[in-house]
Each structure stands twice: as structure tokens, then as C-alpha cells.
Amino acid sequence: MSGEARKKLRSQMHDFRRRPEDLKPEQVQALEDLFEKVPSLGTIYHLRWEATKIFDSAPNRAEASRLLEDWIVQARETEMDWEPFITMLKNNWEGILAYFEERKSSGPVEGLNTKIRVVLRRSYGIQSLTTLWTRILLDVNWAAKKLGPTIAEIRGFVNQIQKYFSECYT
């Protein structure tokens, strides 16, 4: 593949990740042209956004369960191997459906865990636990500008963790 073709494909992959309603008509057309060349990408794209639509619009747990079951049937009708994903979905079925009761996810906690892992990687060689916690709090405080009030809750949680672990180390 030439450098120009690779660059064009990369820009299309950016569009591939965006919500269909956020795309301009020429971007939609470019994706449809890509899907004609690589039909499996079109299948993945459309099924992905159908699943997203379920999470955006299902009013309750029962309706979400029905819609997800229909989605699974649709996925199995394609000639692609969705079974690993469907197995993961079924194994976590109750937890996934719990989202539809209060519309809350573990996203903020997962984000904090990722941020802490990144800080730990960057902080190789730090010998003081206080310095490490300060570094984590600085990063979390920076994230507060982006995420808003949920960070205050996370900060309280981090402070509780720090208090607990500070008693474990001398």
C-alpha cells in the first residue's frame, strides 16, 4: 500500500470510530466506499452502532435484554465469528443489564485505575510513598478540569486509600 493510500485509510479509520450522526455526508460516502471494498468492516461498523444505540436508548433492563438478544441473533447471522464477544457478553449479562437500572458505569473508577498505572510507570525510582501519592493527586486534580464533579468523589476515594495504605508502610 502506498504512503498516500495508507494516509487515506488512517483518516477513514478516524471516521470509522465516530458516531454516524457526527459525520459529514462526504465522510459517510467515503466510509460506504470503503465498506464496498471491505464488507466485513461495514458489518462491524453497523453492528457496533446498533449495540451503541441499545445502550443509548433502551429505557429499562427488560427492554435492553430483549434488544441485546436480538442484536446477538443479528451478529450470529453474519458470516463473522462473534462468539468470543457474545460469550463475554453472556458471561457478564447481569452486570451489563445492571447499567440500565441507574445508567451508571464503572468508567470513572476504571479511568482512575488507568491513571494510577500510568503514574506508576512514569514514577519508576520514586522511593517515597508520599511523593507517589502527591504525583497521583496532581494528575487527578488536572483531570478534574476535564471531568468536573466526579473527580471530587474520586479524590475522596483516593484519600481513603492513602489513609489506609499509609498505616501499612513505615
Side-chain angles (χ1 to χ4, degrees):
M1 188 181 282
S2 71
E4 185 62 33
R6 241 180 288 142
K7 184 177 179 180
K8 183 178 178 183
L9 180 61
R10 271 197 308 269
S11 72
Q12 286 180 314
M13 296 317 319
H14 175 73
D15 294 340
F16 184 82
R17 294 181 194 101
R18 294 177 60 201
R19 288 179 175 267
E21 60 269 15
D22 294 340
L23 296 174
K24 295 176 184 169
E26 59 270 13
Q27 293 169 315
V28 171
Q29 185 58 51
L31 281 178
E32 291 303 326
D33 293 344
L34 176 65
F35 298 156
E36 283 180 24
K37 294 175 188 169
V38 188
S40 59
L41 273 181
T43 302
I44 292 166
Y45 181 81
H46 294 297
L47 281 171
R48 174 200 179 188
W49 291 112
E50 285 298 316
T52 300
K53 197 182 304 180
I54 294 169
F55 281 85
D56 289 346
S57 64
N60 56 49
R61 183 184 184 109
E63 181 68 9
S65 178
R66 186 187 65 75
L67 291 170
L68 286 170
E69 290 288 355
D70 293 346
W71 184 91
I72 289 170
V73 168
Q74 240 184 325
R76 284 184 171 146
E77 287 173 353
T78 68
E79 294 180 8
M80 300 176 72
D81 182 18
W82 288 91
E83 286 310 310
F85 179 77
I86 292 170
T87 300
M88 181 276 306
L89 194 63
K90 290 291 189 175
N91 288 343
N92 296 288
W93 193 252
E94 289 304 312
I96 290 168
L97 291 180
Y99 167 79
F100 295 96
E101 292 173 1
E102 293 190 35
R103 300 275 179 191
K104 291 184 180 176
S105 75
S106 61
V109 173
E110 295 298 332
L112 179 62
N113 289 342
T114 301
K115 184 166 286 300
I116 289 171
R117 278 190 218 102
V118 169
V119 169
L120 287 172
R121 267 188 246 118
R122 281 192 339 233
S123 302
Y124 182 76
I126 289 181
Q127 296 178 1
S128 165
L129 184 62
T130 304
T131 304
L132 178 61
W133 280 113
T134 302
R135 183 70 243 170
I136 291 170
L137 290 175
L138 283 172
D139 278 22
V140 170
N141 285 333
W142 176 84
K145 294 175 188 169
K146 299 284 184 192
L147 298 178
T150 58
I151 290 299
E153 296 167 8
I154 292 172
R155 251 189 245 126
F157 182 62
V158 168
N159 287 334
Q160 289 175 353
I161 292 171
Q162 181 182 12
K163 182 180 176 186
Y164 175 81
F165 281 108
S166 66
E167 296 169 1
C168 298
Y169 296 99
T170 56

